Amino acid sequence: MRRKLKSKRVLEPDYRYQSPKVAKLINYVMEKGHKNIAREIVYGAFTDIKTQTKKEPLEIFDLALQNSGPLMEIKTRRVGGANYQIPHEVSDARKLTLSLRWILEFARAKKGKTMQKRLAEEIMAAAKGEGETIKRRENVHKMAEANRAFAHFARKPQS
């Protein structure tokens, strides 16, 4: 018998932008429980975005998330002794998670600047449709496209 599904915890929106997505970004940036430092980094990055683009940072951030979120990804499934990489559609929650994870990963990988500036640069690059985050998304899409022949192995809902 299957276990009961856990209920999703609703995240409180952050106090400055009233956005749950920004609150999630703050939680992703946070290390060792230092939430105020994470807030300073994210809000500072948003201030940098506003000064450089002269647009609302929340709009740029939403555009970056929209551009960097993958539509398809691959999941490995074992069928008859062989492992197949099967393409699956990505849910909205997973799309947000992957976008935030990739933006943060590539912002942390850059060196020589403060985290605030690196995060701002990565968000702006993703909003323009360029940068490492977009390359990652394109790679995921290419992998899903290359393995499209195995789509018939995808689990079908039981009726």
Side-chain angles (χ1 to χ4, degrees):
M1 195 164 142
R2 287 184 117 185
R3 220 184 276 166
K4 271 201 292 187
L5 290 176
K6 280 188 174 179
S7 60
K8 295 282 183 196
R9 204 168 55 90
V10 178
L11 194 62
E12 292 288 318
D14 72 302
Y15 62 86
R16 189 176 290 182
Y17 293 99
Q18 297 302 312
S19 168
K21 292 177 183 176
V22 175
K24 201 167 188 101
L25 176 65
I26 290 168
N27 287 345
Y28 272 56
V29 170
M30 180 173 54
E31 291 179 350
K32 299 179 185 172
H34 298 289
K35 194 161 196 163
N36 281 330
I37 293 172
R39 278 191 189 115
E40 287 174 22
I41 290 170
V42 172
Y43 292 153
F46 277 29
T47 305
D48 289 353
I49 290 170
K50 188 171 186 155
T51 56
Q52 289 179 20
T53 62
K54 306 285 191 269
K55 292 181 183 172
E56 195 60 39
L58 203 56
E59 291 175 16
I60 302 284
F61 179 61
D62 285 337
L63 184 61
L65 291 179
Q66 190 177 358
N67 287 348
S68 62
L71 301 173
M72 299 289 284
E73 70 175 341
I74 53 171
K75 292 185 178 180
T76 304
R77 179 159 181 225
R78 190 170 176 86
V79 178
N83 289 323
Y84 294 103
Q85 292 185 320
I86 302 168
H88 287 277
E89 283 188 33
V90 180
S91 69
D92 289 338
R94 176 106 174 114
K95 197 180 294 188
L96 174 66
T97 301
L98 289 173
S99 296
L100 291 173
R101 187 183 301 163
W102 292 344
I103 287 171
L104 206 57
E105 176 186 336
F106 293 118
R108 284 186 173 141
K110 293 178 183 177
K111 296 294 174 200
K113 296 180 182 173
T114 63
M115 182 60 192
Q116 177 179 314
K117 297 222 182 292
R118 293 180 290 180
L119 183 60
E121 284 176 3
E122 196 59 42
I123 290 171
M124 287 188 294
K128 289 178 191 170
E130 50 195 44
E132 297 294 320
T133 309
I134 302 299
K135 286 181 189 172
R136 171 73 60 91
R137 188 197 73 182
E138 295 303 322
N139 284 344
V140 168
H141 282 178
K142 282 179 189 171
M143 290 280 287
E145 186 66 29
N147 289 294
R148 199 175 65 195
F150 304 123
H152 65 282
F153 287 126
R155 287 203 173 108
K156 309 226 174 2
Q158 294 177 359
S159 36

